[in-house]
Amino acid sequence: MLTRRTLLSLLPAAVHAQLPTRVNYRHYSQGLPSYLTRLAGQARERREQAMAKLTTPEAIAARQKWVQHTFWELNGGEPERTPLNQRTVGTFNRDGYRVDKIIYESRPGLIVSANLYIPTTGAGPFPGILFQMGHTPNGKAAGGYQKCCQGLARLGHVVLAFDPFGQGERIQYSGKVSPTGHHSMAGKQMLLVGDTASKALAWDAVRSLDVLASLPMVDPKRLASTGQSGGGLATQLLASVDTRLAAAVVCSGNTENFACANFIPPGSADDGEQDLIGSGLVGFDRWDMLYPMAPKPLLVMVSARDFYGTYSPNYLDDGRAEFARLATIYERLGHRNRIAWKESPLAHSLSYALRLETYNWFERWLKNSSTAITEEPPVSPEKDETLWCGPAGNVVRDFQSKSPVAFSRELVRSAPVPVSQLLKLEPSKALKLPVLSHVPSEGIDIEALEVESDPGMFLPAWFYLPKGDSGKAPILLALDARGRNPGAGEEGLYARLALAGVRVCAADLRGNGDTVPQFGRGNPGYERSRNEEESYAWASLILGRPLLTQRVADVLAWVAGLTIRGSSIVVAASGKMTVPALFAAAIDKRIESLYLTGGLASFRGIIDAGEYTEPAANFLPNLLLHTDLPEIAAGLAPRRVEMRGEADWKLENLLAFARS
């Protein structure tokens, strides 16, 4: 008779007969972060090699010219200077200065709304300062920015303050979209035709400087730029391409390199204009934009809190290191005293103390004044409506302005380019599809699979097999936008498909499902907001390896591995996974048919639309210059492509697709 003790002693053996003793799953959440860290390290190494050569004035001058050329090259080329069509649409007077409300066209039909602060005391010509805005919804009407403009005007500077696109009177999406959201949403649209948000903001600044330099009361040899936060970054953009600046103050701008030391993925990927697309491939980074300023006076001011409250954990360490490197360049050019670094302990803002530093810097370098400004001149911000250039406070309604994206719609396509060439896929290697574990289930068998699609990039899948599988039926590669988990389980979709005789591989692509990236090492508030697919997609674009390219490589890896196990492959994808699935099918003819549900129908539709929801993960630079999704799908003929607009991830439809 078997006792209870005997039965318990036999239990492990019975369990081990059914289950493996050990399954060596990897930490899949580390895959994409590790991959980007490797790319960032390569980008940083490229730049370090170039920086090491800057030992002479000649080498420095060559690097400055390279920066100017490379910025435009990365951002789709320098636009043509066209008539500004500047006009004054209103004016009002205050003690010590007047404000002219002006509009002008940075590109034909693209209206810029601006306020011109003109001193009414003292003799001109005056220094001219371009004041660039941070990400305030009301743009040039933000209180702290008004104070600085008024203070500079009272001190004898002509100040031009203009609305960046997506802010103030230039809001062109709904009020639900934030200023940073405006820049990124438009930036993705422009990306499709080789334009960028960086280019749009830089060109607005260049043309605004044209306006400032043309004024009879302004000395064109004493032009400067300043701004806080996004305005600091906009000053960097301007400094990279315009040599007319005689001085600059960058306040709380994103003064950190992306591919920095101790890179913490996804890195400091912020809104669209701060992300220099493809810059990692050529060793170009954010601090490079300030090198053309040397040896002209440059003040860099930061909020010490920004390393955990606004930008990345590397913000201060990298900023200090890069400042020291640029200060060495000033020293080699004989003007170390013309560059300075100031830190405020306060939160991210253009605080009173930082405004005082700004006043003193421009007084010293634009007016050769040694008198210290210890108190701010009397300032009093106006109501938003007082500064509006039009009655509605919106350039579209008031002046029928175009949007920056409008120019993207007008670009003409060039010759078609093969999808593989657009993606710039790296050469594939011989692939294995190791089985990590094999377990039975009711009426089916399930294998845990893994594939290495890029060096160190391991992806998991479950392979559902009917009992007694012959290995001859097609394999359904299922790419659910939610990852492989929602369809799993004994009563789940994939088990039911296998019970119906379909072999199903439910796989994850990188950054999805079980490969969603782990949190970084910074402040939780910062890391939580950045630990999302959108940030990883922008980071990938910066480093020259779009997330779409990466995911297409993943699909191709699964297809290559599964081909060993079956006679043919059919792919079913939902939502955001339909785009990489379609691209993969265009490259690999082993994909016999496609079932695409709930995904994007056309990128051209995104350009033509106002607002949209497609993630950055599916955007590819220059795509619409050469092709679009309907053309790619048409090119798969005579293979079958079934496209459903609504999300339709149901058993009966997938079963019909797999059997057809």
Side-chain angles (χ1 to χ4, degrees), residues 314-580:
N314 290 314
Y315 179 67
L316 278 183
D317 289 343
D318 182 70
R320 290 165 179 161
E322 289 297 333
F323 172 82
R325 195 201 303 258
L326 183 54
T328 300
I329 297 299
Y330 271 74
E331 187 172 2
R332 287 173 181 164
L333 296 176
H335 295 285
R336 176 61 181 82
N337 64 323
R338 293 183 181 178
I339 184 170
W341 170 278
K342 302 282 186 178
E343 290 186 15
S344 167
L346 303 181
H348 189 84
S349 69
L350 186 56
S351 64
Y352 183 93
L354 297 183
R355 296 199 299 274
L356 290 183
E357 295 286 355
T358 301
Y359 302 150
N360 280 294
W361 191 258
F362 288 140
E363 286 291 295
R364 176 184 178 186
W365 294 109
L366 296 181
K367 295 171 66 177
N368 197 29
S369 172
S370 58
T371 302
I373 307 297
T374 58
E375 292 186 3
E376 186 170 50
V379 294
S380 180
E382 309 284 350
K383 293 181 179 179
D384 291 14
E385 295 84 351
T386 304
L387 298 176
W388 284 356
C389 294
N394 184 278
V395 294
V396 176
R397 294 194 293 270
D398 292 328
F399 307 109
Q400 294 72 55
S401 175
K402 290 183 177 180
S403 70
V405 179
F407 298 93
S408 302
R409 301 187 186 111
E410 298 169 1
L411 291 176
V412 179
R413 281 191 189 176
S414 57
V417 171
V419 167
S420 57
Q421 185 176 332
L422 284 173
L423 291 169
K424 299 179 181 177
L425 285 166
E426 296 176 351
S428 59
K429 63 175 185 177
L431 289 170
K432 298 179 180 179
L433 200 65
V435 177
L436 304 181
S437 181
H438 179 283
V439 293
S441 189
E442 186 177 357
I444 63 174
D445 290 309
I446 306 173
E447 295 177 354
L449 305 180
E450 180 181 84
V451 72
E452 184 180 14
S453 64
D454 270 315
M457 178 59 65
F458 292 91
L459 306 170
W462 285 306
F463 198 16
Y464 292 78
L465 299 163
K467 286 288 187 183
D469 175 54
S470 65
K472 295 181 180 180
I475 296 172
L476 173 66
L477 174 59
L479 305 173
D480 189 335
R482 302 165 296 173
R484 65 181 181 144
N485 296 317
E490 284 192 42
E491 305 298 325
L493 173 64
Y494 306 130
R496 287 187 289 160
L497 283 168
L499 286 170
V502 178
R503 295 193 292 166
V504 182
C505 179
D508 281 336
L509 305 185
R510 73 186 74 185
N512 201 49
D514 287 331
T515 70
V516 168
Q518 65 184 16
F519 271 59
R521 304 188 299 275
N523 177 273
Y526 174 89
E527 295 298 338
R528 187 177 298 110
S529 66
R530 265 64 173 187
N531 194 61
E532 56 184 18
E533 181 183 88
E534 201 77 356
S535 293
Y536 274 88
W538 280 108
S540 298
L541 287 164
I542 294 169
L543 294 171
R545 179 89 166 151
L547 192 49
L548 175 59
T549 296
Q550 298 176 50
R551 285 178 171 168
V552 171
D554 295 342
V555 178
L556 296 176
W558 281 119
V559 170
L562 289 170
T563 300
I564 303 170
R565 301 287 300 272
S567 57
S568 61
I569 309 294
V570 297
V571 175
S574 70
K576 63 187 177 183
M577 293 306 168
T578 61
V579 176

Side-chain angles (χ1 to χ4, degrees), residues 100-117:
D100 287 352
K101 307 176 190 181
I102 65 173
I103 59 173
Y104 47 92
E105 299 178 25
S106 61
R107 298 177 75 175
L110 183 64
I111 304 295
V112 178
S113 47
N115 297 142
L116 186 64
Y117 295 75

Side-chain angles (χ1 to χ4, degrees), residues 622-640:
N622 304 310
L623 174 66
L624 285 180
L625 294 179
H626 305 289
T627 189
D628 197 1
L629 302 183
E631 296 166 13
I632 296 173
L636 299 183
R639 289 180 284 169
R640 185 164 63 92

Side-chain angles (χ1 to χ4, degrees), residues 91-104:
T91 189
F92 61 85
N93 289 288
R94 295 292 182 261
D95 183 25
Y97 65 95
R98 81 168 191 267
V99 176
D100 287 352
K101 307 176 190 181
I102 65 173
I103 59 173
Y104 47 92

